[in-house]
Amino acid sequence: MQAHDIMTNKVITAERDTSVEQIAALMMKHHISAVPIVEKGRVVGLVSEGDLMRRVEGAVEKHRSWWLSFFANPDLEASEYVALHGRSAKDIMTTNVVTIPSDMPVGEIARLLEKKHFKRVPVLDDGELVGIVSRANLLHAMAAVPVIRFESSSDDQEKRDIILGALAEAPRLSIAQLNVVVEGGRVDVWGIAASDAEEAAVRVALANIDGLGEVSVNIGRLPNYAWGI
């Protein structure tokens, strides 16, 4: 699953000169937490809830002590003033926007959002905005566990290969310790596992295959020393 599979295609955007009030209204109307700022189809910035909230906090910020002013960075202070009091998107937007391509795997997107503490990230193709992926999109993707379905023409050997492939995706599960027998509308799985969690992984992998028919799982245990534990 990649970005284009889960992203929101209809992205609410604004322009550099869009007023702060209009951007806030867009967020409330569409129940979104950020608005990309575009110019000729290109993303040039992003205004988030955080950018707006800083303005609220800045309205009641306390003045620095007089002696701290000697060590302040004049350019930084000026930039902060613009961000806190500016009237349009270009004044308050974040310009160093992190973006992703539409073919980025969902797992990589999740790691990026976690590492950067982002709530959403724009999706670009050839430099143009094509969508946006938020944490909500990721949650929907995680909730929609794909189900494997047999083709109507699949014979027992093809079904067995599909089952073994599904079992092989379960982490730490040793396929060499399992024997899968498929005959007509019945599936029997025999073998050993190192833990209850591994046995549960076998059952979950099988449960995510549609059309197995009658399923029998017979998983035993070996002593820990047999696994080198």
Side-chain angles (χ1 to χ4, degrees):
M1 194 173 289
Q2 300 175 328
H4 59 78
D5 297 312
I6 67 170
M7 69 184 186
T8 298
N9 296 295
K10 295 182 179 180
V11 184
I12 305 301
T13 64
E15 299 178 349
R16 289 176 180 270
D17 293 327
T18 303
S19 71
V20 172
E21 291 80 4
Q22 288 175 312
I23 292 175
L26 284 174
M27 289 184 182
M28 290 186 290
K29 179 180 178 180
H30 298 282
H31 306 287
I32 54 179
S33 60
V35 176
I37 308 303
V38 299
E39 186 175 60
K40 297 180 180 179
R42 304 277 172 164
V43 176
V44 295
L46 186 79
V47 176
S48 68
E49 288 177 330
D51 295 319
L52 297 181
M53 291 304 297
R54 277 193 291 274
R55 291 169 64 86
V56 175
E57 295 167 0
V60 295
E61 67 179 353
K62 296 180 180 179
H63 293 290
R64 290 188 179 93
S65 300
W66 66 269
W67 61 273
L68 284 178
S69 63
F70 288 106
F71 304 98
N73 184 326
D75 291 337
L76 182 59
E77 285 190 325
S79 297
E80 288 178 351
Y81 177 84
V82 171
L84 292 173
H85 302 280
R87 304 297 298 170
S88 59
K90 63 178 179 290
D91 299 322
I92 69 170
M93 68 184 186
T94 299
T95 55
N96 187 22
V97 183
V98 175
T99 63
I100 62 172
S102 63
D103 60 354
M104 177 178 279
V106 170
E108 291 184 23
I109 300 172
R111 286 190 288 272
L112 174 66
L113 295 186
E114 178 67 19
K115 180 180 179 180
K116 299 289 187 179
H117 303 291
F118 291 159
K119 292 183 178 180
R120 89 296 297 163
V121 60
V123 183
L124 305 186
D125 270 346
D126 297 325
E128 293 196 10
L129 181 67
V130 295
I132 193 165
V133 174
S134 67
R135 290 185 178 183
N137 296 130
L138 289 175
L139 289 175
H140 293 158
M142 288 187 285
V145 177
V147 175
I148 301 171
R149 291 182 173 84
F150 292 136
E151 298 292 336
S152 57
S153 59
S154 298
D155 57 26
D156 288 349
Q157 184 57 51
E158 289 174 325
K159 291 180 179 179
R160 183 175 186 274
D161 291 340
I162 291 173
I163 293 169
L164 288 173
L167 291 172
E169 292 184 2
R172 301 185 64 82
L173 193 63
S174 176
I175 302 301
Q177 304 292 340
L178 301 175
N179 183 30
V180 177
V181 179
V182 180
E183 187 173 355
R186 180 182 175 85
V187 176
D188 289 278
V189 179
W190 301 81
I192 55 176
S195 65
D196 292 344
E198 288 190 8
E199 180 177 347
V202 172
R203 297 183 185 278
V204 168
L206 294 173
N208 283 324
I209 303 176
D210 190 31
L212 284 182
E214 185 179 355
V215 178
S216 176
V217 178
N218 307 277
I219 304 294
R221 298 286 186 278
L222 283 179
N224 287 344
Y225 63 80
W227 297 94
I229 298 178

